[in-house]
Amino acid sequence: METLLGQGRAAIDLIVDAGSFTEGTVGARTFDDPDFGPGAVVGTASLEGETVTVIASDAEAFNEKFPVVYSGIIGLEEGYKMAQAVYATLAADAEKAAASKRPIVLIVDTPGNGPGKVEEIFGMNKATGAYQLALAEARLAGHPIVAMVVGRAISGAFLCHGLQADRILSLTSEFQTMIHVMPITSVSRIIKKDVELLEALAKSNPVFAAGPAFFFKLGGVERLVETIDGMRPAIAAQIADIRKAKADKAATALTGPRGRGALGAERGGRTVRPKVQELLRSEFAAVEERFRPRAN
Amino acid sequence: MPNWNRLQTNSFLECSARDRAVGLVDEGSFVELGGPFDRLVSPHLVALGEAVENDDGIVTGVGRIGARPVFVISQEGRFIGGSVGEVGGAKMVGIIDMAIDFNDRLVAEFPDLPPSARPLVAISFETGGVRLHEANAGLLAHAEVMDALQRARHKVPVVALIGSRIGCFGGMGFVAAATDAIVMSEFGRLGLTGPEVIEQEMGKDEFDASNRALVYRTTGGRHKYVMGDANFLVDDTVAAFRAQLADLCALPVSSFEAMRRIGSPELVEKQLRGVALAAELKPSDARDVWRHAGNNDPVGLADGPLADFRKSVRRLAL
């Protein structure tokens, strides 16, 4: 079976309209320095005729300045570069109505955030956080954001590049896609439970097992895509659907992280979450009066 | 209920999550929401046959500081390292959402409501991030918290308080970075990849996790204050954290924008000046950055009393 793991650039070409990807340009912004954040590929393309911002990782790139960045790792420069691409997207459509803001397509194949001493001294948490806030801002402003997992979507790097999207699609595991915090063998070592036990439990509870199918059951992935050719129409369909959901004033269909929360309950993977929140609300309602402005 | 007055002089570092929650707000004002009697236990720990806590290791509630309703989230490091799973994550998001909703309703009803009477969120972090026993649910919960923080922007200030044993690492490291203001003690630690993980991934030459001094130099409160990541560096008492929080409670939400480190294109450009400096300096130790910031005796500065440090330290200008 074919795989796109480690081939973020090839994946871009398979997803967008043939020959339409212009790397390094998003709206009025250009990224001219080839040595700046080489692990992050940003640019503009068209998808079924519509202008979209594309953000991907380049697993072949090595960041000379920050040697922990290779194999698609998101380092300090990469995180901020991705954030810049999102802000440039927001700026490009600032005058447009929410319904006509351009989509952002995240092509996900990243094994992690930069793990290093310099990264911690300067604050890798800020770089990944900055990108997430930018994506959340763009999503709330109306830009449809679709993440397409084509390879590795691992832990904090998936939070950074993927989990703030309106909708998440993943190629099925036949394509060697990986979605997890840690492989089950590592989980087993750290929480001191036999792998056999965990694998048996994973059949009924997808909450610690690795792979797109388990994330699907938890509502962490909206849809699995079974063919490479299927990616482009699936993304385009999601964009149309996201626009519909966002235009719905009653917000009956949520998108983004909380949409996936609702989906988690619907698919039976995360059923406690809504109960917890409902309980907090009812308990606060009972004491709210105490916290309202006091009459003078 | 713990004795509020006695709590104030306690070491923040040694305090339980509940003591922090109670002590940070005005005496007698804290109401726990989703408390232990609600038995919000993790079903995933139950499935694994693991011990559970009736609050899932996160204390949530609401209190007051003066006229201001303060929604509190306080993580307990003594329960599975303060890790966040489905229930704990839902509690965090639920509290932030309620603060936003309450703010919206109050402002609609009382358009002239002074800032000091509008809701604020305080998060006392003590966590290594995602709980591995329910890793996937924990991961998805982190994304929801980040979304909630962005929704709170320009409406409800969110303040991070970091000074507990476990520090604030993993996904919660960027959650803290995404808040409006960060208050730390010198014993607080903040980062993304914890010391042990860096050593495991990159080797002991890159990072020796057993070297406590190195760990604090890299992620501790004093360093994060020099870097501008911590806005305030306070003494290790509940009273000191509370006093700083009370000061912040006087401010309108607009004043918090200037304290942020990320969350706008301008701030990204500012952080990138730091990244360029990192590439240029290639620091082998945080002290190299302190020196660059204008501190000629970083070792003396690091080892001296906190009051002297606060007085004489030069913070990195980007």
Side-chain angles (χ1 to χ4, degrees):
Chain A
M1 183 58 94
E2 351 159 50
T3 178
L4 291 173
L5 194 145
Q7 301 173 66
R9 286 178 184 279
I12 297 174
D13 293 333
L14 288 165
I15 287 168
V16 303
D17 297 348
S20 72
F21 181 60
T22 309
E23 185 173 352
T25 300
V26 178
R29 171 150 214 146
T30 56
F31 296 81
D32 300 320
D33 178 0
D35 298 325
F36 172 65
V41 181
V42 304
T44 302
S46 60
L47 182 78
E48 301 202 336
E50 182 176 16
T51 299
V52 299
T53 295
V54 177
I55 307 178
S57 297
D58 184 350
E60 313 264 296
F62 171 65
N63 192 324
E64 304 269 351
K65 287 168 282 177
F66 297 98
V68 300
V69 177
Y70 57 91
S71 187
I73 282 177
I74 298 171
L76 291 167
E77 285 190 341
E78 283 72 18
Y80 289 125
K81 181 179 176 182
M82 289 163 143
Q84 284 178 321
V86 177
Y87 285 128
T89 306
L90 273 159
D93 290 351
E95 306 301 322
K96 289 190 191 162
S100 50
K101 289 184 190 287
R102 76 186 65 181
I104 302 175
V105 177
L106 314 178
I107 297 175
V108 183
D109 177 28
T110 172
N113 288 120
K117 195 188 334 184
V118 173
E119 280 70 17
E120 290 307 309
I121 289 173
F122 276 85
M124 187 62 223
N125 58 329
K126 290 181 290 183
T128 170
Y131 179 34
Q132 292 176 62
L133 289 178
L135 286 170
E137 184 176 334
R139 168 166 45 74
L140 296 171
H143 292 272
I145 307 180
V146 180
M148 179 74 233
V149 179
V150 301
R152 300 152 296 171
I154 313 297
S155 196
F158 187 32
L159 277 167
C160 179
H161 183 55
L163 282 169
Q164 285 303 320
D166 283 297
R167 294 277 167 79
I168 301 174
L169 306 174
S170 175
L171 284 174
T172 49
S173 57
E174 286 79 13
F175 294 92
Q176 298 179 33
T177 43
M178 292 187 245
I179 308 182
H180 59 241
V181 172
M182 240 178 226
I184 206 162
T185 46
S186 307
V187 170
S188 146
R189 198 178 64 241
I190 293 172
I191 72 170
K192 301 186 175 69
K193 294 275 172 196
D194 289 342
V195 175
E196 293 75 24
L197 170 76
L198 291 180
E199 277 169 351
L201 283 171
K203 291 195 179 92
S204 59
N205 188 346
V207 83
F208 47 76
F214 295 106
F215 269 79
F216 178 85
K217 279 192 222 164
L218 286 169
V221 161
E222 272 85 357
R223 229 200 100 184
L224 298 171
V225 178
E226 281 152 4
T227 63
I228 284 177
D229 289 343
M231 293 193 294
R232 182 207 316 246
I235 294 169
Q238 288 295 335
I239 290 170
D241 200 52
I242 292 164
R243 284 212 166 103
K244 217 164 70 192
K246 288 188 180 187
D248 175 14
K249 291 280 178 284
T252 39
L254 296 169
T255 67
R258 63 181 59 192
R260 282 183 286 283
L263 202 55
E266 212 174 284
R267 289 182 183 164
R270 286 180 291 152
T271 53
V272 186
R273 174 194 164 280
K275 291 177 194 153
V276 168
Q277 294 181 345
E278 185 45 48
L279 185 84
L280 291 178
R281 273 194 293 274
S282 69
E283 289 187 3
F284 179 62
V287 298
E288 181 183 312
E289 195 52 42
R290 271 193 250 175
F291 296 95
R292 289 171 56 81
R294 289 163 179 151
N296 292 313
Chain B
M1 265 299 176
N3 180 306
W4 189 89
N5 283 301
R6 208 172 305 147
L7 272 182
Q8 295 301 310
T9 54
N10 280 5
S11 157
F12 192 84
L13 183 70
E14 304 294 342
C15 268
S16 70
R18 191 157 287 104
D19 285 357
R20 278 178 265 134
V22 169
L24 284 167
V25 294
D26 288 351
E27 182 172 9
S29 73
F30 184 71
V31 178
E32 188 161 348
L33 304 170
F37 293 112
D38 291 328
R39 296 181 193 273
L40 297 176
V41 303
S42 161
H44 311 300
L45 291 177
V46 172
L48 285 169
E50 292 282 316
V52 296
E53 280 284 354
N54 285 333
D55 56 18
D56 202 38
I58 297 191
V59 175
T60 45
V62 56
R64 266 184 186 281
I65 293 182
R68 194 154 203 160
V70 177
F71 288 78
V72 183
I73 296 164
S74 186
Q75 299 171 330
E76 180 53 69
R78 279 169 273 203
F79 183 60
I80 324 185
S83 57
V84 176
E86 180 179 350
V87 171
K91 288 174 85 174
M92 293 184 76
V93 173
I95 289 290
I96 301 168
D97 280 357
M98 283 199 301
I100 299 169
D101 174 62
F102 193 40
N103 182 76
D104 287 350
R105 286 189 286 120
L106 289 181
V107 171
E109 196 178 341
F110 310 100
D112 299 326
L113 193 66
S116 59
R118 297 182 185 197
L120 175 144
V121 174
I123 309 178
S124 175
F125 286 96
E126 186 179 18
T127 176
V130 171
R131 179 182 293 163
L132 290 174
H133 306 73
E134 44 185 299
N136 303 344
L139 195 74
L140 297 169
H142 275 67
E144 273 193 75
V145 178
M146 288 300 277
D147 174 56
L149 290 181
Q150 181 60 31
R151 287 172 194 272
R153 292 285 296 281
H154 313 293
K155 289 186 170 185
V156 177
V158 182
V159 179
L161 308 158
I162 306 172
S164 300
R165 283 264 171 231
I166 304 286
C168 177
F169 288 99
M172 283 291 144
F174 55 67
V175 168
T179 62
D180 291 302
I182 300 183
V183 183
M184 289 180 82
S185 75
E186 61 178 322
F187 304 123
R189 292 179 294 138
L190 171 61
L192 180 65
T193 315
E196 289 79 11
V197 183
I198 301 180
E199 181 183 303
Q200 188 185 319
E201 302 250 328
M202 310 303 292
K204 233 183 172 71
D205 289 344
E206 173 78 15
F207 206 97
D208 178 0
S210 64
N211 183 340
R212 300 302 292 166
L214 171 67
V215 169
Y216 274 91
R217 283 209 298 281
T218 310
T219 59
R222 291 193 190 206
H223 174 60
K224 291 295 155 188
Y225 186 67
V226 170
M227 299 303 289
D229 293 359
N231 302 91
F232 307 97
L233 188 62
V234 301
D235 291 344
D236 174 40
T237 61
V238 172
F241 273 92
R242 171 181 153 74
Q244 187 59 62
L245 186 60
D247 278 357
L248 292 170
C249 278
L251 301 175
V253 68
S254 56
S255 298
F256 285 84
E257 282 299 303
M259 296 181 220
R260 295 189 63 88
R261 52 226 72 77
I262 53 172
S264 72
E266 296 75 23
L267 287 170
V268 164
E269 299 309 316
K270 179 182 171 183
Q271 292 300 338
L272 275 169
R273 292 195 285 277
V275 175
L277 178 66
E280 180 197 319
L281 275 183
K282 299 199 185 309
S284 59
D285 192 289
R287 295 288 176 269
D288 300 341
V289 187
W290 290 33
R291 216 172 275 114
H292 178 86
N295 301 291
N296 297 323
D297 177 19
V299 176
L301 193 62
D303 295 341
L306 189 64
D308 294 351
F309 175 88
R310 274 192 297 246
K311 221 173 295 163
S312 53
V313 68
R314 307 198 50 167
R315 304 174 73 189
L316 185 67
L318 290 173

mmCIF file of all heavy atoms in Angstrom, chain B residues 13 75 77 81 124-129 161-169 172 184 187-191 216:
data_model
loop_
_atom_site.group_PDB
_atom_site.id
_atom_site.type_symbol
_atom_site.label_atom_id
_atom_site.label_comp_id
_atom_site.label_asym_id
_atom_site.label_seq_id
_atom_site.Cartn_x
_atom_site.Cartn_y
_atom_site.Cartn_z
ATOM 1 N N LEU B 13 4.099 26.473 47.290
ATOM 2 C CA LEU B 13 4.691 25.241 46.751
ATOM 3 C C LEU B 13 4.119 23.998 47.427
ATOM 4 O O LEU B 13 3.907 22.981 46.782
ATOM 5 C CB LEU B 13 6.212 25.294 46.942
ATOM 6 C CG LEU B 13 7.059 24.142 46.404
ATOM 7 C CD1 LEU B 13 7.078 24.161 44.883
ATOM 8 C CD2 LEU B 13 8.487 24.226 46.948
ATOM 9 N N GLN B 75 -4.981 22.749 39.866
ATOM 10 C CA GLN B 75 -4.590 21.367 39.556
ATOM 11 C C GLN B 75 -3.799 20.742 40.699
ATOM 12 O O GLN B 75 -2.966 21.403 41.314
ATOM 13 C CB GLN B 75 -3.764 21.344 38.263
ATOM 14 C CG GLN B 75 -4.536 21.872 37.059
ATOM 15 C CD GLN B 75 -3.661 22.064 35.829
ATOM 16 O OE1 GLN B 75 -2.466 22.343 35.941
ATOM 17 N NE2 GLN B 75 -4.273 21.929 34.660
ATOM 18 N N GLY B 77 -1.082 18.203 41.796
ATOM 19 C CA GLY B 77 0.046 17.392 41.322
ATOM 20 C C GLY B 77 0.173 16.045 42.002
ATOM 21 O O GLY B 77 0.784 15.120 41.459
ATOM 22 N N GLY B 81 0.355 13.233 38.921
ATOM 23 C CA GLY B 81 1.143 14.332 38.380
ATOM 24 C C GLY B 81 0.326 15.494 37.835
ATOM 25 O O GLY B 81 0.792 16.256 36.990
ATOM 26 N N SER B 124 -4.431 27.829 38.628
ATOM 27 C CA SER B 124 -3.240 27.433 39.370
ATOM 28 C C SER B 124 -2.750 26.109 38.792
ATOM 29 O O SER B 124 -3.349 25.058 39.013
ATOM 30 C CB SER B 124 -3.587 27.290 40.857
ATOM 31 O OG SER B 124 -2.469 26.801 41.554
ATOM 32 N N PHE B 125 -1.671 26.199 37.998
ATOM 33 C CA PHE B 125 -1.203 25.025 37.255
ATOM 34 C C PHE B 125 -0.308 24.127 38.115
ATOM 35 O O PHE B 125 0.579 24.609 38.819
ATOM 36 C CB PHE B 125 -0.387 25.466 36.034
ATOM 37 C CG PHE B 125 -1.212 26.036 34.906
ATOM 38 C CD1 PHE B 125 -1.379 27.404 34.771
ATOM 39 C CD2 PHE B 125 -1.802 25.192 33.979
ATOM 40 C CE1 PHE B 125 -2.115 27.943 33.720
ATOM 41 C CE2 PHE B 125 -2.548 25.722 32.921
ATOM 42 C CZ PHE B 125 -2.703 27.090 32.790
ATOM 43 N N GLU B 126 -0.522 22.846 38.041
ATOM 44 C CA GLU B 126 0.448 21.877 38.562
ATOM 45 C C GLU B 126 0.239 20.606 37.767
ATOM 46 O O GLU B 126 -0.588 19.748 38.118
ATOM 47 C CB GLU B 126 0.247 21.603 40.059
ATOM 48 C CG GLU B 126 1.373 20.706 40.585
ATOM 49 C CD GLU B 126 1.299 20.382 42.064
ATOM 50 O OE1 GLU B 126 0.232 20.541 42.663
ATOM 51 O OE2 GLU B 126 2.345 19.945 42.600
ATOM 52 N N THR B 127 0.995 20.464 36.690
ATOM 53 C CA THR B 127 0.649 19.411 35.727
ATOM 54 C C THR B 127 1.785 19.113 34.740
ATOM 55 O O THR B 127 2.563 19.987 34.396
ATOM 56 C CB THR B 127 -0.606 19.849 34.922
ATOM 57 O OG1 THR B 127 -0.890 18.880 33.915
ATOM 58 C CG2 THR B 127 -0.401 21.199 34.242
ATOM 59 N N GLY B 128 1.816 17.868 34.313
ATOM 60 C CA GLY B 128 2.730 17.497 33.241
ATOM 61 C C GLY B 128 2.009 17.401 31.909
ATOM 62 O O GLY B 128 2.582 16.992 30.913
ATOM 63 N N GLY B 129 0.716 17.772 31.885
ATOM 64 C CA GLY B 129 -0.032 17.771 30.626
ATOM 65 C C GLY B 129 -0.988 16.588 30.517
ATOM 66 O O GLY B 129 -1.702 16.270 31.467
ATOM 67 N N LEU B 161 -1.157 30.989 37.445
ATOM 68 C CA LEU B 161 -0.374 31.044 38.674
ATOM 69 C C LEU B 161 0.466 29.768 38.708
ATOM 70 O O LEU B 161 -0.084 28.664 38.693
ATOM 71 C CB LEU B 161 -1.303 31.107 39.883
ATOM 72 C CG LEU B 161 -2.358 32.222 39.802
ATOM 73 C CD1 LEU B 161 -3.542 31.910 40.693
ATOM 74 C CD2 LEU B 161 -1.748 33.565 40.171
ATOM 75 N N ILE B 162 1.784 29.929 38.721
ATOM 76 C CA ILE B 162 2.650 28.742 38.618
ATOM 77 C C ILE B 162 3.689 28.769 39.725
ATOM 78 O O ILE B 162 4.591 29.620 39.726
ATOM 79 C CB ILE B 162 3.345 28.682 37.237
ATOM 80 C CG1 ILE B 162 2.296 28.760 36.112
ATOM 81 C CG2 ILE B 162 4.177 27.407 37.119
ATOM 82 C CD1 ILE B 162 2.893 28.911 34.724
ATOM 83 N N GLY B 163 3.554 27.835 40.666
ATOM 84 C CA GLY B 163 4.513 27.785 41.770
ATOM 85 C C GLY B 163 4.357 26.504 42.561
ATOM 86 O O GLY B 163 4.612 26.470 43.755
ATOM 87 N N SER B 164 3.937 25.436 41.878
ATOM 88 C CA SER B 164 3.715 24.170 42.566
ATOM 89 C C SER B 164 4.741 23.133 42.131
ATOM 90 O O SER B 164 5.445 23.321 41.135
ATOM 91 C CB SER B 164 2.289 23.678 42.311
ATOM 92 O OG SER B 164 1.363 24.636 42.795
ATOM 93 N N ARG B 165 4.788 22.044 42.901
ATOM 94 C CA ARG B 165 5.844 21.020 42.762
ATOM 95 C C ARG B 165 6.115 20.550 41.330
ATOM 96 O O ARG B 165 7.255 20.495 40.890
ATOM 97 C CB ARG B 165 5.458 19.783 43.573
ATOM 98 C CG ARG B 165 5.684 19.938 45.046
ATOM 99 C CD ARG B 165 7.023 19.359 45.492
ATOM 100 N NE ARG B 165 7.263 19.741 46.872
ATOM 101 C CZ ARG B 165 8.400 20.303 47.300
ATOM 102 N NH1 ARG B 165 9.399 20.526 46.462
ATOM 103 N NH2 ARG B 165 8.537 20.634 48.557
ATOM 104 N N ILE B 166 5.056 20.182 40.647
ATOM 105 C CA ILE B 166 5.232 19.534 39.341
ATOM 106 C C ILE B 166 5.627 20.544 38.263
ATOM 107 O O ILE B 166 6.189 20.194 37.233
ATOM 108 C CB ILE B 166 3.911 18.829 38.917
ATOM 109 C CG1 ILE B 166 3.455 17.833 39.995
ATOM 110 C CG2 ILE B 166 4.025 18.154 37.575
ATOM 111 C CD1 ILE B 166 4.241 16.559 40.075
ATOM 112 N N GLY B 167 5.345 21.825 38.516
ATOM 113 C CA GLY B 167 5.551 22.824 37.467
ATOM 114 C C GLY B 167 4.389 22.770 36.488
ATOM 115 O O GLY B 167 3.300 22.286 36.814
ATOM 116 N N CYS B 168 4.649 23.233 35.269
ATOM 117 C CA CYS B 168 3.604 23.279 34.248
ATOM 118 C C CYS B 168 4.251 22.905 32.916
ATOM 119 O O CYS B 168 4.973 23.707 32.328
ATOM 120 C CB CYS B 168 3.009 24.682 34.211
ATOM 121 S SG CYS B 168 1.763 24.896 32.940
ATOM 122 N N PHE B 169 4.017 21.671 32.491
ATOM 123 C CA PHE B 169 4.704 21.151 31.314
ATOM 124 C C PHE B 169 3.744 20.462 30.347
ATOM 125 O O PHE B 169 2.548 20.360 30.609
ATOM 126 C CB PHE B 169 5.796 20.158 31.747
ATOM 127 C CG PHE B 169 6.969 20.833 32.397
ATOM 128 C CD1 PHE B 169 7.076 20.874 33.778
ATOM 129 C CD2 PHE B 169 7.945 21.454 31.627
ATOM 130 C CE1 PHE B 169 8.151 21.519 34.389
ATOM 131 C CE2 PHE B 169 9.019 22.098 32.227
ATOM 132 C CZ PHE B 169 9.122 22.138 33.611
ATOM 133 N N MET B 172 -0.022 21.566 28.779
ATOM 134 C CA MET B 172 -0.420 22.658 29.664
ATOM 135 C C MET B 172 0.625 23.786 29.655
ATOM 136 O O MET B 172 0.319 24.913 30.050
ATOM 137 C CB MET B 172 -0.681 22.136 31.077
ATOM 138 C CG MET B 172 -2.022 21.416 31.189
ATOM 139 S SD MET B 172 -3.440 22.560 31.024
ATOM 140 C CE MET B 172 -4.617 21.525 30.125
ATOM 141 N N MET B 184 4.487 33.832 38.690
ATOM 142 C CA MET B 184 5.267 32.667 39.113
ATOM 143 C C MET B 184 5.995 32.958 40.417
ATOM 144 O O MET B 184 6.246 34.119 40.745
ATOM 145 C CB MET B 184 6.322 32.287 38.045
ATOM 146 C CG MET B 184 5.748 31.681 36.780
ATOM 147 S SD MET B 184 7.026 31.245 35.544
ATOM 148 C CE MET B 184 7.589 29.634 36.159
ATOM 149 N N PHE B 187 10.062 28.983 42.529
ATOM 150 C CA PHE B 187 9.988 27.521 42.497
ATOM 151 C C PHE B 187 9.072 27.010 41.391
ATOM 152 O O PHE B 187 8.993 25.811 41.159
ATOM 153 C CB PHE B 187 9.526 26.980 43.851
ATOM 154 C CG PHE B 187 10.390 27.437 44.990
ATOM 155 C CD1 PHE B 187 9.848 28.128 46.073
ATOM 156 C CD2 PHE B 187 11.751 27.216 44.965
ATOM 157 C CE1 PHE B 187 10.652 28.560 47.119
ATOM 158 C CE2 PHE B 187 12.567 27.650 46.013
ATOM 159 C CZ PHE B 187 12.018 28.338 47.094
ATOM 160 N N GLY B 188 8.377 27.904 40.754
ATOM 161 C CA GLY B 188 7.525 27.510 39.641
ATOM 162 C C GLY B 188 8.394 27.147 38.447
ATOM 163 O O GLY B 188 9.482 27.690 38.270
ATOM 164 N N ARG B 189 7.925 26.220 37.635
ATOM 165 C CA ARG B 189 8.649 25.873 36.410
ATOM 166 C C ARG B 189 7.657 25.816 35.256
ATOM 167 O O ARG B 189 6.526 25.356 35.426
ATOM 168 C CB ARG B 189 9.343 24.503 36.560
ATOM 169 C CG ARG B 189 10.487 24.542 37.560
ATOM 170 C CD ARG B 189 11.134 23.186 37.708
ATOM 171 N NE ARG B 189 10.226 22.230 38.311
ATOM 172 C CZ ARG B 189 10.086 20.976 37.902
ATOM 173 N NH1 ARG B 189 10.784 20.515 36.881
ATOM 174 N NH2 ARG B 189 9.237 20.172 38.504
ATOM 175 N N LEU B 190 8.099 26.280 34.112
ATOM 176 C CA LEU B 190 7.213 26.359 32.952
ATOM 177 C C LEU B 190 7.967 25.952 31.701
ATOM 178 O O LEU B 190 9.075 26.445 31.445
ATOM 179 C CB LEU B 190 6.695 27.798 32.810
ATOM 180 C CG LEU B 190 5.918 28.153 31.539
ATOM 181 C CD1 LEU B 190 4.658 27.315 31.405
ATOM 182 C CD2 LEU B 190 5.568 29.636 31.525
ATOM 183 N N GLY B 191 7.397 25.058 30.946
ATOM 184 C CA GLY B 191 8.047 24.642 29.703
ATOM 185 C C GLY B 191 7.124 23.769 28.883
ATOM 186 O O GLY B 191 5.960 23.562 29.238
ATOM 187 N N TYR B 216 16.141 24.251 36.967
ATOM 188 C CA TYR B 216 15.572 25.541 37.385
ATOM 189 C C TYR B 216 16.098 26.693 36.541
ATOM 190 O O TYR B 216 15.375 27.637 36.234
ATOM 191 C CB TYR B 216 15.810 25.776 38.893
ATOM 192 C CG TYR B 216 14.715 25.140 39.693
ATOM 193 C CD1 TYR B 216 14.844 23.833 40.149
ATOM 194 C CD2 TYR B 216 13.513 25.805 39.912
ATOM 195 C CE1 TYR B 216 13.811 23.215 40.833
ATOM 196 C CE2 TYR B 216 12.470 25.197 40.592
ATOM 197 C CZ TYR B 216 12.623 23.898 41.052
ATOM 198 O OH TYR B 216 11.584 23.305 41.707
#
